[in-house]
Amino acid sequence: MFDSLLIAASQLVDPYNFFLILVGTVVGLVFGFLPGVTLLTAMALFLPFTHGMNPISVMFLFSGIMGSAPFGGSISAILFNIPGEPFNAATCFDGYPMAKQGEASRALGISAMASALGGLIGLVVLILLIPAIRPILFAFGPPEFFMVILFGLVTMAVAVPGQVLRGLVAGGLGILISLIGFSPVTGVLRFSFGSQNYLWDGVRLVPFFVGIFAINEIIEYFVHGGTISVSGKRQDRGFAGVLKGVKDAFRHWYAVLQGSVVGLIVGILPGVGGTVSNFLAYSMARQVSKEPDRFGHGAPDAIAAVEASNNSKDGGDLLPTVAFGIPGSSTMALLLGAFILHGINPGPLLVRDHMDIVWAIILGRLVANLIASALGLVAADFLARVTTINVMYLVPVILTLAFLGAYADRENILDIGLAIFAGIGGYVLSRFGFPVITLVIGFVLGNLGELAFLQSLQISFGSYAIFFTRPISLLLFVAIVLTFLYALYKMLGRQAKAREQ
Amino acid sequence: MIIQKAGRVGFHLLLLAIPTYFFWSALGYEPRARLVPMLVSATVIALLLVVIVGECRKAEVPESGQAEEPSLGGDALQVAIISSWALLFFFVVYLVGFLIGALVFFVFFLALSGKTSWLMAVSGAAILVGLIWGIFVKILGLELFAGILFGAATPSF
């Protein structure tokens, strides 16, 4: 094992390979930053150019792209409320409000540091877990996954003080929107509003997010005018803000650790994806935070948890990919494609015969993570200046970028219409007190939850007891009940206090 | 105040139509396809009814110290204007394509809403469209929508 590590390390210090990581890092940052153009697009675009390259060099290039894209996406999420990648959506919840408070540099600082730490934790655990992955994979079946999803939803809904009912309604509406399209179990086209083609595979994630986050925010800009930073000034001029953010990431080490663990676990589960880990990390961080009321208003621990999960999930994602040849996401599927293209058979034999390749991915990702975070820290102060520009100049630019982002996902003009519809709908809902956060979480987790729910019933031949007889599932159910009881206790306490006053 | 309250109740009733549509449609699907949608939509309908009853029972004038009820309030016109801009931009892109559409939108928006001079608006638009063309078309190879007036196929719904 250490021989292969030495081979990969010696390849890493080769100037050509190091240059490839640098190229990959810059490409990943740019593709991550641009909304609608995904990490997957970057890898797909570069795959043909790797023909004839040494497999280890290819892995260094792709590691660079994979290691930096999450942070690139966080930059646009923090500065413009546009998630560069779908898995950056939860960064908008607190990163952008922090930028509005004139602390964009601090938010970017937290993001950069938590990304580096999350990536590091993910990769270290990956190294430790490669021999022990099998029991972890088997411990999490559909009932456990369903309960995790339910837990995430309930946690978010009850965490909005005074808005529990509206939070649950918004979450429910999000789930219903996610059910549009063909049923994953029966194949029946559902709730298509007369569409035979466009809504076949449901409401697409990218245009929905572009609408809910970017167009929603453009409306807000137009209505209130001024600058993104509400005061029109930056509270954190110079490098001080960035440094404050870096300190925040260490101060909230627990959020970083928790986010990393969530990212890892979700990353390991095949087919779940980074977006889910992002939202689960957010809702769990809120659950344990000392100041849950600050969530949604620029909470540093929220940004730290989300960013750590974003970067650690790839460590988890890599685990089934390299150990079994089972890709956990489309990005990993493409990486497997690269393996095959270069004559490497993925699966258990990869770890035995080509451990140097596995090490190359791990080391490449580690270096890319560090370079991306360092670049981010250096550029944060400059990037934060955008928050003091009059929003009337930003509206047409961001609207154009939002349209491009919605369209670029699959080059369908109707996706722009969907984004506008989602943006206006989301804005009106939020103005009537329905939290958009739970709507989005319901949307992201809804169809996955339905699939897990129906699969569980299939396993148990229709018996609902399956959710309460498996230890992890039961534990999660108890956690859900306790969360509800805690929310009820808090609500009754508030009402009693109001009566006294 | 009465109008605002009626508006809030009206909005919630309108919202109620969404889960009702899902519940009604789900009735026609086979059991496995309708189970989750029916469970979720029934729950949302019940919760929304509680919210609506709460809205109806609320005092018409908020007591002193009580936060104002959430609504669009005086911002409705501004929301309508920016929504119209977005829809107009979409319509222009649909007709004449992305690049010309972005140019037209950028110039008119900046000149009319951003209150900049026409010269500044045209210069800004030219730079933005140039960047879109350079990055998205030339480098990333994205095929931008050409507009139905320039031969782009009408997308099927």
Side-chain angles (χ1 to χ4, degrees):
Chain A
M1 186 153 163
F2 286 103
D3 290 347
S4 350
L5 172 61
L6 283 177
I7 294 171
S10 65
Q11 291 282 338
L12 176 72
V13 291
D14 180 89
Y16 172 68
N17 286 334
F18 197 80
F19 174 72
L20 283 177
I21 295 179
L22 259 180
V23 170
T25 307
V26 174
V27 169
L29 276 173
V30 172
F31 274 70
F33 178 79
L34 294 172
V37 190
T38 61
L39 156 69
L40 195 66
T41 318
M43 289 173 70
L45 275 174
F46 275 78
L47 187 61
F49 298 112
T50 63
H51 198 71
M53 275 165 74
N54 170 351
I56 287 192
S57 303
V58 178
M59 293 311 135
F60 281 133
L61 175 70
F62 281 169
S63 300
I65 298 175
M66 288 190 294
S68 58
F71 179 61
S74 300
I75 297 174
S76 48
I78 289 168
L79 296 180
F80 307 116
N81 207 29
I82 304 177
E85 299 276 341
F87 52 71
N88 293 115
T91 309
C92 296
F93 296 155
D94 283 83
Y96 183 68
M98 196 176 263
K100 280 175 92 173
Q101 290 156 21
E103 294 190 297
S105 308
R106 182 183 173 196
L108 289 168
I110 301 172
S111 168
M113 205 61 233
S115 295
L117 292 173
L120 188 68
I121 293 170
L123 294 172
V124 169
V125 177
L126 166 71
I127 295 164
L128 297 175
L129 280 187
I130 285 179
I133 176 160
R134 210 175 279 264
I136 296 173
L137 264 181
F138 286 125
F140 255 78
E144 287 76 20
F145 184 53
F146 173 72
M147 284 295 175
V148 168
I149 287 176
L150 207 60
F151 183 59
L153 264 172
V154 168
T155 311
M156 280 314 300
V158 302
V160 188
Q163 288 184 323
V164 177
L165 271 181
R166 287 169 196 265
L168 288 170
V169 168
L173 287 174
I175 296 175
L176 290 176
I177 297 170
S178 79
L179 298 179
I180 292 172
F182 73 92
S183 155
V185 176
T186 63
V188 174
L189 180 62
R190 299 178 300 180
F191 318 113
S192 63
F193 298 90
S195 158
Q196 290 299 315
N197 198 357
Y198 179 68
L199 288 175
W200 171 251
D201 55 352
V203 173
R204 302 279 294 188
L205 206 69
V206 172
F208 186 77
F209 277 1
V210 165
I212 283 286
F213 292 108
I215 295 182
N216 187 340
E217 202 49 45
I218 287 164
I219 300 173
E220 184 70 19
Y221 287 163
F222 192 82
V223 169
H224 291 115
T227 57
I228 293 178
S229 164
V230 176
S231 63
K233 290 183 210 148
R234 286 171 51 210
Q235 308 289 331
D236 53 4
R237 282 179 183 280
F239 203 67
V242 183
L243 211 61
K244 195 175 173 189
V246 172
K247 281 181 190 163
D248 276 333
F250 285 106
R251 199 158 55 87
H252 297 289
W253 63 269
Y254 188 76
V256 172
L257 193 66
Q258 191 191 36
S260 304
V261 172
V262 172
L264 264 165
I265 294 173
V266 176
I268 290 171
L269 303 173
V272 182
T275 315
V276 174
S277 83
N278 209 232
F279 287 109
L280 284 178
Y282 185 81
S283 53
M284 289 189 182
R286 186 172 198 164
Q287 191 70 8
V288 298
S289 172
K290 285 177 188 158
E291 299 170 298
D293 294 351
R294 282 194 65 193
F295 274 58
H297 305 285
D301 41 345
I303 304 172
V306 165
E307 291 302 289
S309 92
N310 248 352
N311 287 272
S312 73
K313 68 152 195 327
D314 287 341
D317 219 1
L318 273 168
L319 211 49
T321 311
V322 296
F324 295 133
I326 304 168
S329 63
S330 41
T331 316
M332 288 301 138
L334 205 139
L335 191 71
L336 280 188
F339 282 160
I340 295 162
L341 192 75
H342 290 273
I344 302 161
N345 284 327
L349 291 183
L350 177 75
V351 179
R352 199 191 68 186
D353 300 339
H354 294 286
M355 197 54 199
D356 52 336
I357 299 280
V358 178
W359 277 117
I361 299 171
I362 294 171
L363 293 179
R365 275 227 45 173
L366 195 65
V367 173
N369 241 311
L370 295 175
I371 295 174
S373 295
L375 284 175
L377 289 174
V378 172
D381 182 52
F382 174 75
L383 290 171
R385 288 178 196 181
V386 81
T387 58
T388 55
I389 297 173
N390 187 331
V391 289
M392 280 304 168
Y393 301 119
L394 292 178
V395 166
V397 178
I398 298 177
L399 194 61
T400 307
L401 270 181
F403 274 25
L404 269 170
Y407 174 79
D409 178 40
R410 55 172 175 173
E411 298 188 5
N412 188 332
I413 189 78
L414 293 180
D415 282 342
I416 299 177
L418 171 67
I420 297 173
F421 187 71
I424 298 172
Y427 182 79
V428 174
L429 272 178
S430 67
R431 287 296 299 262
F432 278 93
F434 292 90
V436 170
I437 297 179
T438 48
L439 175 86
V440 173
I441 293 181
F443 175 71
V444 171
L445 302 180
N447 52 4
L448 290 170
E450 184 193 29
L451 187 63
F453 182 74
L454 293 176
Q455 279 174 340
S456 306
L457 290 183
Q458 256 174 345
I459 294 169
S460 67
F461 301 104
S463 166
Y464 290 92
I466 191 167
F467 296 108
F468 314 107
T469 48
R470 294 164 65 121
I472 298 177
S473 177
L474 180 66
L475 202 71
L476 287 163
F477 177 73
V478 171
I480 292 167
V481 173
L482 288 177
T483 308
F484 258 123
L485 289 177
Y486 178 69
L488 194 71
Y489 166 75
K490 291 268 274 189
M491 196 174 79
L492 291 175
R494 263 199 307 273
Q495 279 177 356
K497 207 172 168 185
R499 266 198 300 273
E500 275 172 27
Q501 282 170 352
Chain B
M1 281 298 166
I2 294 172
I3 295 171
Q4 268 197 11
K5 184 178 169 178
R8 281 201 310 273
V9 174
F11 172 76
H12 288 96
L13 285 173
L14 207 65
L15 205 59
L16 193 63
I18 300 173
T20 310
Y21 163 78
F22 277 88
F23 189 84
W24 185 258
S25 303
L27 288 172
Y29 304 136
E30 60 174 282
R32 277 187 309 163
R34 72 176 175 225
L35 179 60
V36 172
M38 282 182 74
L39 275 174
V40 177
S41 53
T43 312
V44 175
I45 290 171
L47 291 171
L48 257 176
L49 285 174
V50 176
V51 173
I52 291 169
V53 170
E55 285 291 337
C56 292
R57 288 174 60 184
K58 264 180 196 161
E60 272 160 20
V61 181
E63 288 163 27
S64 59
Q66 197 178 329
E68 210 165 286
E69 290 304 325
S71 69
L72 274 181
D75 296 331
L77 180 67
Q78 292 289 88
V79 175
I81 292 173
I82 184 63
S83 302
S84 307
W85 270 114
L87 288 169
L88 204 70
F89 183 17
F90 174 51
F91 185 65
V92 175
V93 168
Y94 185 74
L95 282 182
V96 295
F98 219 106
L99 292 177
I100 302 174
L103 192 87
V104 171
F105 168 71
F106 202 92
V107 169
F108 279 91
F109 185 89
L110 271 190
L112 300 176
S113 281
K115 310 247 184 315
T116 50
S117 67
W118 285 96
L119 186 68
M120 277 285 286
V122 172
S123 319
I127 293 169
L128 178 81
V129 171
L131 283 172
I132 291 173
W133 182 79
I135 296 172
F136 286 90
V137 180
K138 289 314 274 183
I139 299 175
L140 300 180
L142 186 73
E143 203 173 306
L144 292 178
F145 190 71
I148 53 164
L149 292 183
F150 294 107
T154 315
S156 66
F157 184 69

